[in-house]
Amino acid sequence: MYYSVDAIENGTARLIADDGKMVFVPQKDLPAGVLQTDILVHDGKKWQAAPQETLQRKKQAHERLQKILGR
């Protein structure tokens, strides 16, 4: 399952799972350099960045926005 980084505040990251559940994780447990809107996966032990999924979702969001704006 993928998790989107919704926010990082005061050393805690709020992640939103694909099923809509919210998870709070200490920022120190995330991969270095993770930013808001990045996509992560959890392998049962640690969090890993999913850069290809992040790029794909950002592209899809951009395409939807362009369609809404009629461009």
Side-chain angles (χ1 to χ4, degrees):
M1 179 177 318
Y2 290 109
Y3 298 79
S4 175
V5 180
D6 186 50
I8 301 173
E9 300 171 342
N10 301 319
T12 301
R14 181 174 62 236
L15 310 178
I16 307 295
D18 282 346
D19 64 4
K21 293 181 181 174
M22 197 176 308
V23 178
F24 293 91
V25 178
Q27 185 177 6
K28 66 177 181 60
D29 292 348
L30 301 180
V34 167
L35 301 171
Q36 187 172 330
T37 73
D38 284 350
I39 304 299
L40 305 173
V41 293
H42 194 265
D43 68 4
K45 293 185 181 185
K46 64 181 179 175
W47 293 97
Q48 297 178 12
Q52 289 299 108
E53 187 68 20
T54 299
L55 288 174
Q56 180 180 337
R57 290 183 186 208
K58 286 182 179 183
K59 180 181 176 192
Q60 290 171 342
H62 177 76
E63 290 171 354
R64 275 186 244 128
L65 178 60
Q66 294 305 308
K67 189 173 184 177
I68 290 168
L69 297 175
R71 296 183 187 169

